[in-house]
Amino acid sequence: YAVAGALAGRARLEGPVAAPRVALVALGASVVVEGVGVLGALAVSAPVDLAAVVVQCLLTATVAAVVVPLLVAAERGLVRRRYG
């Protein structure tokens, strides 16, 4: 999780948040987290359902693309009201 967070943090920008950018960053972080799980499973010869891994990564990116811009807009609204 630390590596995924560090990679996502490197993509941080000030200013408006575009949903495609958020989705791409979330997808990258999700791939890192899921990839560690896949590597761990492969290391002990456990079965890996790659379709489920792909779906999980895509769902994470989709939810992030929808939720993060809403949270950022709400935060900006609160800051504007308080310091406006």
Side-chain angles (χ1 to χ4, degrees), residues 46-57:
V48 176
D49 184 0
L50 287 180
V53 170
V54 169
V55 168
Q56 181 69 33
C57 289

Side-chain angles (χ1 to χ4, degrees), residues 1-11 25 29 32-33:
Y1 291 105
V3 172
L7 291 174
R10 301 263 310 146
V25 171
V32 168
V33 171

Side-chain angles (χ1 to χ4, degrees), residues 9-73:
R10 301 263 310 146
R12 184 177 178 276
L13 292 176
E14 293 293 328
V17 178
R21 180 178 177 83
V22 171
L24 186 61
V25 171
L27 181 61
S30 181
V31 166
V32 168
V33 171
E34 293 293 330
V36 170
V38 167
L39 291 175
L42 292 175
V44 295
S45 300
V48 176
D49 184 0
L50 287 180
V53 170
V54 169
V55 168
Q56 181 69 33
C57 289
L58 292 176
L59 284 174
T60 299
T62 302
V63 169
V66 171
V67 173
V68 170
L70 294 174
L71 291 174
V72 169

